[in-house]
């Protein structure tokens, strides 16, 4: 495989699943370096997920898809009914004469900014809002919404409800930290790095990503916006209002390539983003005396996939597109999904690594850098374990009942089950912090 093809492959959705499956195959042979693997406990995880699904939704077809929109559907003042803040905004915009297309653009603007600043906030940070006090991903989401409403991300004097390249490139650390209510008493992990990520988003959209985000009128009066990806998808579609997951993924992974820190893994001079050397794969290749640098890398593209899952809902629900091939997306290898498999005994951190992690940890929870071999192995296993659980859930919640699985099935399993199960299990086992069983040192990206 030529060098340029290696880079292309490692940035693909195909590589995320295939490379993680290679690590899983080693787990089945007892060759993981950092975790003990108990395959027999996977079904108990699936049973727990099904129990949450039935408790909260009844059946899988009633489960909404996993995406940023869910952070804006809030139960307020103990009410069982949820306020959909995004839908409320869309209704208000339409009432004032805004087109459906522009409404979809605005929501994509919000979601892209909100997802990019959605890395782990830490257990000490809170966001105080008129609707209540929020933490972690909900808090970050509400903070992003309030900044969006007030025009922090917009350079237009007439429309605060947009995020554009000009405003993002001029965003200061102080503006963002103020928007997050950061103080000595309310610390947010990686706050300044989140601001740099948004500045990089502005540069990416007006630079290498201009073809995707420039819109129909990329000029001084109409700076690039994330929502203009709709115009690119419309223009490039063979049939009106249709797209493939590959075309959407191209917009995200290529159009936003320069957003990610250059310090990330590089190959042939190209920064790959969320792609990491995997000691587990390297060990087996060293044993065989074969293997290249590229073959030892495992891609995850977690934030890009989280972003793709999030904008897909807008593209389909608000813009009216039909998108083919969505099943190629993977589950998200992040600490809630991954933590579920540790807390329920599918994966057990080996003692030597546990002791090493406790040096940087607290409260009996080990802590590692994101590039640590422990984290890379954990995340690779999480990708495949999510597929395994989804397969069992499909059998128990659809096939056994005699009806077909709904579309975006894996996304619904993530929303109704694995992510929620990971959070609930963490709250049960570590009620003081609600931390996952393994913490990742966050740089805000």
């Amino acid at each position: 495989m030529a060098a340029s093809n290696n880079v292309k492959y490692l940035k693909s959705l195909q590589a995320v699943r295939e490379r993680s499956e290679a690590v899983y195959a080693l787990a089945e042979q007892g060759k993981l370096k950092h975790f003990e693997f108990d395959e027999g406990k996977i079904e108990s995880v699936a049973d727990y997920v099904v129990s949450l699904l039935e408790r909260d939704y009844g059946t899988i077809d009633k489960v909404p898809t996993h995406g940023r929109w869910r952070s804006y559907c809030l139960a307020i003042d103990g009410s069982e009914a949820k306020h959909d803040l995004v839908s409320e905004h869309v209704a208000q915009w339409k009432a004032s004469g805004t087109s459906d297309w522009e409404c979809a653009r605005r929501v994509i603007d919000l979601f892209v900014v909100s997802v990019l600043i959605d890395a782990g906030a830490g257990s000490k940070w809170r966001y105080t809002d008129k609707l209540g006090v929020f933490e972690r991903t909900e808090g970050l989401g509400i903070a992003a919404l309030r900044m969006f409403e007030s025009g922090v991300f917009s350079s237009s004097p007439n429309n605060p409800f947009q995020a554009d390249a000009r405003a993002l490139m001029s965003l200061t650390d102080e503006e963002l930290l103020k928007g997050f209510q950061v103080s000595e008493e309310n610390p947010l992990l990686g706050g300044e790095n989140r601001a740099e990520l948004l500045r990089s988003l502005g540069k990416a959209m007006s630079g290498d990503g201009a073809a995707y985000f420039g819109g129909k009128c990329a000029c001084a009066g109409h700076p690039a916006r994330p929502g203009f990806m709709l115009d690119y998808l419309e223009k490039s579609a063979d049939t009106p209002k249709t797209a493939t997951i590959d075309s959407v993924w191209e917009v995200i992974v290529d159009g936003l390539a320069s957003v990610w820190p250059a310090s990330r893994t590089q190959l042939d001079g190209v920064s790959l983003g969320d792609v990491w050397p995997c000691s587990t794969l390297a060990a087996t290749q060293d044993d065989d005396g074969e293997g290249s640098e590229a073959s030892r890398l495992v891609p995850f593209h977690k934030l890009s996939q989280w972003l793709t899952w999030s904008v897909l809902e807008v593209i389909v629900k608000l813009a009216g597109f039909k998108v083919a091939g969505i099943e190629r997306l993977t589950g998200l290898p992040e600490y809630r999904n991954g933590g579920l498999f540790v807390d329920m005994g599918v994966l057990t951190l080996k003692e030597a690594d546990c002791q090493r992690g406790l040096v940087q940890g607290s409260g009996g929870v080990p802590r590692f850098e994101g590039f640590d071999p422990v984290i890379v192995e954990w995340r690779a296993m999480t990708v495949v374990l999510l597929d395994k659980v989804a397969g069992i859930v499909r059998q128990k919640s659809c096939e056994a009942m005699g009806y077909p699985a709904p579309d975006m099935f894996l996304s619904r399993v993530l929303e109704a089950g694995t992510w929620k199960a990971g959070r609930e299990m963490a709250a049960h086992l570590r009620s003081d912090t609600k931390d996952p069983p393994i913490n990742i040192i966050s740089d805000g990206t």
Side-chain angles (χ1 to χ4, degrees):
M1 187 181 285
S4 59
N5 286 337
N6 278 332
V7 171
K8 184 177 180 180
Y9 173 70
L10 287 167
K11 293 173 72 175
S12 71
L13 291 170
Q14 176 186 353
V16 177
R17 189 167 265 117
E18 288 182 348
R19 286 298 172 82
S20 293
E21 286 175 343
V23 175
Y24 190 89
L26 294 172
E28 292 179 309
Q29 302 169 42
K31 293 184 178 180
L32 290 183
K33 291 178 66 66
H34 306 287
F35 288 88
E36 301 292 348
F37 173 46
D38 189 342
E39 190 172 18
K41 293 183 177 178
I42 296 175
E43 186 157 4
S44 64
V45 174
D47 287 340
Y48 181 41
V49 167
V50 170
S51 73
L52 294 185
L53 186 161
E54 293 176 345
R55 180 195 73 186
D56 296 335
Y57 298 98
T59 56
I60 188 72
D61 58 301
K62 294 183 173 64
V63 179
T65 54
H66 192 56
R68 197 51 167 156
W69 202 316
R70 305 288 80 71
S71 297
Y72 299 114
C73 297
L74 305 173
I76 301 171
D77 296 330
S79 170
E80 291 187 7
K82 289 189 175 183
H83 289 260
D84 184 338
L85 302 182
V86 171
S87 293
E88 289 175 6
H89 271 295
V90 170
Q92 291 167 4
W93 294 333
K94 288 183 178 181
S96 66
T98 305
S99 69
D100 291 352
W101 195 257
E102 172 59 18
C103 287
R105 284 177 178 157
R106 292 181 180 186
V107 177
I108 290 176
D109 284 356
L110 169 63
F111 284 6
V112 169
V113 168
S114 181
V115 166
L116 287 180
I117 54 180
D118 190 37
S123 60
K124 298 180 180 179
W125 179 81
R126 302 289 186 274
Y127 184 80
T128 302
D129 185 75
K130 60 186 178 182
L131 299 178
V133 178
F134 303 92
E135 59 185 9
R136 299 189 184 267
T137 189
E138 288 85 1
L140 293 169
I142 295 298
L145 175 63
R146 297 312 182 206
M147 286 186 271
F148 180 76
E149 292 170 339
S150 62
V152 170
F153 309 125
S154 173
S155 65
S156 170
N158 302 315
N159 179 26
F161 303 111
Q162 69 180 42
D164 63 68
R166 184 186 299 122
L168 293 172
M169 285 190 289
S170 63
L171 182 71
T172 66
D173 293 354
E174 291 74 20
E175 285 176 304
L176 195 67
L177 294 178
K178 179 181 178 181
F180 280 131
Q181 302 176 350
V182 174
S183 66
E184 289 186 6
E185 296 75 30
N186 193 36
L188 174 68
L189 297 179
E192 292 82 0
N193 289 338
R194 295 170 205 264
E196 181 58 34
L197 207 59
L198 293 185
R199 289 191 289 269
S200 295
L201 170 62
K203 294 173 186 175
M205 291 193 299
S206 58
D208 294 341
Y212 303 109
F213 303 109
K216 297 178 180 177
C217 180
C219 60
H222 297 86
R225 292 168 53 187
F228 284 154
M229 73 169 67
L230 282 179
D231 303 272
Y232 170 80
L233 292 171
E234 179 190 42
K235 181 176 64 177
S236 59
D238 293 330
T239 304
K241 295 291 184 74
T242 64
T244 66
I245 195 61
D246 289 333
S247 61
V248 179
W249 183 247
E250 177 190 343
V251 172
I252 301 299
V253 81
D254 290 338
L256 301 181
S258 60
V259 169
W260 314 114
S263 58
R264 295 280 174 87
T265 303
Q266 295 193 5
L267 184 67
D268 302 325
V270 178
S271 183
L272 298 175
D274 189 11
V275 180
W276 307 97
C278 180
S279 61
T280 317
L281 292 179
T284 59
Q285 291 167 359
D286 289 342
D287 290 342
D288 295 336
E290 299 179 354
S292 64
E293 178 186 4
S295 65
R296 300 173 185 182
L297 297 175
V298 178
F300 299 112
H301 303 302
K302 187 269 292 186
L303 210 53
S304 294
Q305 290 207 74
W306 176 224
L307 184 52
T308 304
W309 281 118
S310 297
V311 300
L312 270 175
E313 186 170 7
V314 185
I315 291 169
V316 172
K317 187 174 179 178
L318 295 184
F321 277 75
K322 292 183 177 180
V323 182
I326 292 173
E327 68 278 358
R328 296 178 62 190
L329 290 166
T330 74
L332 303 177
E334 47 78 62
Y335 66 85
R336 289 301 184 207
N337 287 323
L340 174 64
F341 297 109
V342 176
D343 277 337
M344 295 196 69
V346 178
L347 297 172
T348 301
L349 187 61
K350 292 183 178 180
E351 184 60 25
D353 286 304
C354 184
Q355 292 304 317
R356 180 168 62 85
L358 287 172
V359 173
Q360 300 185 88
S362 61
V365 175
R367 186 167 174 255
F368 302 91
E369 295 280 359
F371 55 76
D372 192 283
V374 165
I375 302 302
V376 177
E377 186 175 274
W378 182 31
R379 297 179 76 198
M381 289 295 293
T382 298
V383 169
V384 184
L385 287 167
L386 289 170
D387 281 345
K388 300 289 185 183
V389 167
I392 298 172
V393 173
R394 180 188 297 267
Q395 192 279 321
K396 294 190 174 188
S397 65
C398 296
E399 295 172 11
M401 302 296 180
Y403 60 82
D407 60 358
M408 296 181 73
F409 185 81
L410 177 59
S411 178
R412 296 171 194 269
V413 172
L414 296 175
E415 178 61 29
T418 57
W419 186 86
K420 183 181 293 183
R423 169 179 273 195
E424 292 196 10
M425 189 65 69
H428 172 68
L429 296 175
R430 291 169 295 278
S431 58
D432 53 338
T433 65
K434 302 176 184 176
D435 277 347
I438 299 171
N439 266 321
I440 303 174
I441 298 173
S442 175
D443 64 358
T445 63

